Structures are given as structure tokens and as C-alpha cells.
Amino acid sequence: MRMSTPRSSVPEPGLPVDPAEPADPAIAADTVDVAVIGAGFAGLVAARELGAAGLDVLVLEARDRIGGRTWTDHRFGMDLEMGANWVHWVQPHVWAEITRYQREIVRSPVADEAYWRGAGGAARSGTLAEFMALIDEGQQALIDDVRVAMPRGVEPTVGTIQQLDHLSIQDRYDSLDREGVLGPEARAANDSVWVGHVNAPLDQAGLSSALRWVAATGGHWQLMHEASSTYRVVDGMRGFTDRIAADVHGEIRLQTTVVSVVQGLDGAAGVIVETADGCRIRARRVISTLPVNASGGIRFDPPLPAAWQRQAAETVASQGTKVWLKARGHLPRFFAYASQHDPLSVLKAEFYGSDADGDYTVLVAFGPDHTRIDLDDLATVQAAVDAFRPGIEVLEVTAHDWMKDALSLNTWMTHRPGQLTRDLAELQQPQGALHFATTDNADLWGGFIDGAIESGLREARRVIEALAPR
């Protein structure tokens, strides 16, 4: 693997670039078997597999780093995950990679205290066991039909989900209210849990997201909670992706923004990929790893398939934020839930540290709508924290707004009602010599790192089967 920066100056990664005119294949600067757009988990795994099969691979990454929506950065005196974080052994693709690269995992701290919103927004507190008992009936009721809705987690569009996919999570809980299943206290607590999972308002998040994640854990919502938010990789995601990148037999070209992908120009076989610095690459196949929401950032000729255009226009449901906060003193281990209508809906104590100003606690928070909170205004953030966990003095705030990042435009995949069964199959299909590998079109753990790896393996295999290595 050779990692490089662009051959000439390029615009700042993520800034829009006017699409270039169709490239002349006669002046393509590079000729490779496969060009991979993006160096996140999907792109790196695909490139590794293709290179191992004897194919010439070039990875084009617009950012100045690898990792995509995973990003380990040093802030508050420690390494923090600005993007995707948690993994679990029930996620088969990521666990295979963890085993392959001898990564270790560590558990996030168990909470000693719990805080949440009760009926009418009233503040409640107790133990973890008390909170779990409160949400138990509602969590089960939400997904009680999962074994007929999605009998097999690897086939998320097979089952009665075909008749249920028009429902949002809000719709399902509203129907439980009408049936008298939940009281006001339990309903409020259950709402707060799910808004944390889907990173979006519940009336915009498809019931399909809840069902598919629970289907992936054999129908057990408790295991789904653990799998999605408990264990992190020692040495961070950057240490993980660095290991994969080291096994890529080909160049990973950083700060290289792709502006157009043109197939069959003037009857020529293959694809011409043009970058913002004017470089033109001729490839027999191209694998795009762009998330659905960001797919419009490149000019494709022919245009992307209808499912890609449709979902990009609608956008997927996730629209939230992930925030790291530095608070004064060593706070008790706790978690706190607010409501889907609050700027921040989840808050957890994660790490302890000390510096010249004394002891501090690093908290991680999530909010359902990135537009509801100004993270540059410390007073606004303090007020959001005070609303559901009083007594914390916030000293600093740091985050990356993935919703404003032109290479992402979402946090993690959460489908809107109807999108999963309508579009997933088409999102997975190649278009001529163009392939699509992203956690957004994975089967089992769509929206997770596991899904990114699944999709990278899937498309690499398709390309290998189509191309005879030189």
C-alpha cells in the first residue's frame, strides 16, 4: 500500500466543484483495473480484497485521512471517536476483521446513576436496573412481531416488513398508546431510548430500522442495545483502519476529490474517473462508497439508478449530532435521556482526565437534529445539559457536524418509512461497470461499521468474478 497526497493543489476536501466536461479517454493519466472512491471501511476492505486477487487498484479519498465516517481524533487530551464507535461480536463482518488484525475491545463504563424524562417532561432519576425495568414492556412491544416481520436478519426486506414498512417508530408507539399498552411514564422513557438509536425524530425514522437491528440480534432487544452502544476498539478506529490500509496492494491517494464518473465514453470500454485537480483515471470497474445522501456530489454519466436519485432527494432519516463535552471534576458514572424534542437526547459519562486546571470528565452526547443546537455557543450547550442532567459544569465542547460534511451528509443510516423495502435491492445492484459499496446498502447491519465491511466484501467479490486478473 502506498498512501499519497494529490499531484497538484485541490480545493478543500468536501467543497463543491463544478463538474468537468466528459474526459477524453485518450488522455487519461492513470489506467487501473479498479478505482475505489472513498477510503472508509467499505473502500479499504474492497481495495484489499481486489489487490489480493491480483487486480490493480487505486483508492481515491477526498479527505486528508482514511476512515470515512470513522475518525479518531486527539481532543481534550485523549483520543476520541468523532464518528462511528461501538462494535460487537454479534456483528460478524466487523468481528472477523477484529480477529484478523488482533484488535481488542473494551467495555464502556457501566452507569451508576440514571436520569430520564417522565410524563410531561418531569425529571426522573434512579438506578440502571430501575430504568431498564421501566422500558422493558415498551421495548418488547415495539419489536414483538420481529420474527415474522424479518425472520432472517440477513434478509431485511423479506417477511411482513413489506406490509409494515410504511410505519414510523412514532406510528408504532402511537398505536401502542391507543391499545393502552404503555402508561405515560413508560412511553416517555421508551421514546427517549429510540431517538438515541436512530439519531432522528421518531416520526421520520422507519420502524424498519428498529426491526432490522433487533432481527440482527436474533429478536432480542436487550442484545441489540448492547451491540450498538457498549464496546469500543482499543487504540481507536484509526488504529483499525490503518491495519486494513497496510494490506491494500495499491495506492491510496488522499485529498483527491472525484468530480465525475463517465462510463463507455465514445464507445470505449470501462470508466473514466476525473478528479478536481484534472487527473483522469481509466478503470475497468469503479466502486463508489459514497453514502446515499452524498451521492449527488459527483456527476455520473449515465445518471445514477432511480433508487439512488430518489433516496438522495428524500434524504435518509438520520440528521442528528454527536458531541463530546469536557465537564469539571470527576462525575459519577451515569447516563441520561431527554426527549426527541430536546437539543440533546442522550448524555453519558465516558472518560476521566486531569490537566493543569484539575480533574475533568469527558461526556458523549447525541441529539436528534443538528440544527437545534449551536455547538459554538457554550451557554446554549450548558442549557441543553442542564435540562436533563443538572449539576454539570461544561468547560469545552467539540464535535464534527457530519450533516454539513459534503462527503457524508448524514450520521448513520436510518431509513425513512418505506425506503428499506422499496430501494434496498436496487441500491445493491451495479450499474454497468459502476458498483456501490456502503453501509447504506448492506443487508445485516446497515448503518454500522459491520455493514460497511459487508458491502465492501460483496462488491469486491462481484468485481473479481467479472475481471480476470492480469
Side-chain angles (χ1 to χ4, degrees):
M1 178 273 295
R2 180 165 65 89
M3 200 171 297
S4 67
T5 51
R7 301 180 180 186
S8 61
S9 61
V10 299
E12 181 181 347
L15 291 180
V17 180
D18 289 335
E21 291 299 316
D24 181 351
I27 59 173
D30 296 282
T31 299
V32 295
D33 290 318
V34 188
V36 177
I37 303 172
F41 270 93
L44 292 173
V45 167
R48 181 193 67 194
E49 299 300 301
L50 294 164
L55 296 169
D56 298 326
V57 182
L58 173 61
V59 181
L60 305 170
E61 170 55 58
R63 297 182 172 95
D64 60 358
R65 59 174 180 81
I66 63 173
R69 281 178 283 177
T70 65
W71 179 19
T72 309
D73 203 24
H74 196 75
R75 306 188 187 190
F76 298 161
M78 58 188 66
D79 288 340
L80 300 176
E81 299 294 349
M82 309 309 297
N85 187 2
W86 291 290
V87 297
H88 199 274
W89 51 88
V90 297
Q91 298 166 344
H93 304 93
V94 75
W95 194 252
E97 299 294 329
I98 286 172
T99 303
R100 176 176 184 153
Y101 292 105
Q102 299 182 336
R103 300 290 82 196
E104 297 180 6
I105 62 172
V106 63
R107 196 191 194 288
S108 292
V110 177
D112 298 317
E113 301 173 355
Y115 299 82
W116 65 92
R117 292 283 182 82
R124 302 283 187 258
S125 62
T127 65
L128 173 61
E130 288 170 338
F131 182 78
M132 293 300 288
L134 176 63
I135 67 171
D136 181 81
E137 186 176 14
Q139 291 292 294
Q140 185 61 43
L142 181 78
I143 54 85
D144 208 32
D145 55 349
V146 66
R147 288 179 175 85
V148 293
M150 292 183 186
R152 291 164 51 87
V154 294
E155 297 176 335
T157 63
V158 175
T160 60
I161 186 60
Q162 292 284 341
Q163 290 76 52
L164 297 172
D165 197 18
H166 68 284
L167 297 174
S168 68
I169 294 176
Q170 184 84 41
D171 291 333
R172 173 58 65 87
Y173 271 129
D174 287 348
S175 70
L176 294 175
D177 280 349
R178 290 190 293 271
E179 296 165 11
V181 173
L182 299 178
E185 290 289 327
R187 169 64 191 270
N190 275 281
D191 276 3
S192 64
V193 170
W194 272 106
V195 72
H197 281 307
V198 298
N199 209 221
L202 298 185
D203 63 350
Q204 299 180 43
L207 176 63
S208 61
S209 291
L211 292 173
R212 74 184 303 197
W213 297 342
V214 175
T217 52
H220 302 285
W221 66 264
Q222 298 91 339
L223 182 55
M224 185 279 296
H225 281 223
E226 180 181 278
S228 62
S229 59
T230 305
Y231 292 93
R232 59 180 184 272
V233 177
V234 175
D235 294 332
M237 289 300 166
R238 180 57 195 260
F240 198 175
T241 52
D242 278 348
R243 292 294 187 94
I244 301 174
D247 280 348
V248 172
H249 299 300
E251 180 184 356
I252 300 175
R253 195 175 295 173
L254 302 178
Q255 292 180 273
T256 303
T257 302
V258 172
V259 295
S260 69
V261 175
V262 181
Q263 297 193 61
L265 189 65
D266 296 331
V271 190
I272 297 296
V273 178
E274 185 163 8
T275 65
D277 61 353
C279 182
R280 291 167 178 173
I281 300 108
R282 185 202 300 273
R284 298 167 72 192
R285 297 278 167 145
V286 171
I287 298 178
S288 171
T289 69
L290 291 173
V292 170
N293 282 6
S295 60
I298 295 176
R299 182 177 66 84
F300 290 92
D301 185 6
L304 289 174
W308 283 89
Q309 296 187 52
R310 188 166 52 234
Q311 279 205 15
E314 295 171 351
T315 72
V316 299
S318 62
Q319 54 196 267
T321 186
K322 178 181 183 180
V323 187
W324 290 99
L325 305 97
K326 181 180 179 181
R328 189 178 304 281
H330 283 182
L331 302 171
R333 299 290 190 187
F334 75 91
F335 72 82
Y337 282 115
S339 79
Q340 62 175 309
H341 307 293
D342 290 298
L344 297 177
S345 54
V346 181
L347 185 66
K348 296 171 59 179
E350 283 287 298
F351 306 114
Y352 291 141
S354 298
D355 57 19
D357 296 323
D359 295 339
Y360 62 90
T361 303
V362 175
L363 314 172
V364 64
F366 295 88
D369 185 339
H370 74 121
T371 66
R372 292 183 190 170
I373 188 166
D374 181 0
L375 297 177
D376 294 324
D377 184 347
L378 189 61
T380 298
V381 177
Q382 181 70 65
V385 170
D386 290 343
F388 66 123
R389 178 49 173 91
I392 294 175
E393 182 184 354
V394 179
L395 302 174
E396 295 181 55
V397 180
T398 189
H400 179 73
D401 192 340
W402 297 99
M403 294 299 302
K404 292 182 179 178
D405 184 331
L407 302 174
S408 301
L409 298 180
N410 75 339
T411 50
W412 58 88
M413 164 58 86
T414 301
H415 283 107
R416 295 183 184 276
Q419 288 181 334
L420 175 68
T421 55
R422 185 193 66 191
D423 293 336
L424 182 60
E426 187 176 351
L427 291 175
Q428 294 176 348
Q429 294 307 307
Q431 181 193 46
L434 175 62
H435 296 250
F436 305 97
T438 165
T439 188
D440 292 4
N441 71 2
D443 278 326
L444 185 56
W445 281 99
F448 290 76
I449 296 169
D450 189 87
I453 297 169
E454 175 197 317
S455 68
L457 292 171
R458 181 192 67 225
E459 295 312 311
R461 176 52 51 193
R462 283 175 167 169
V463 171
I464 291 166
E465 290 174 351
L467 303 181
R470 295 175 183 174

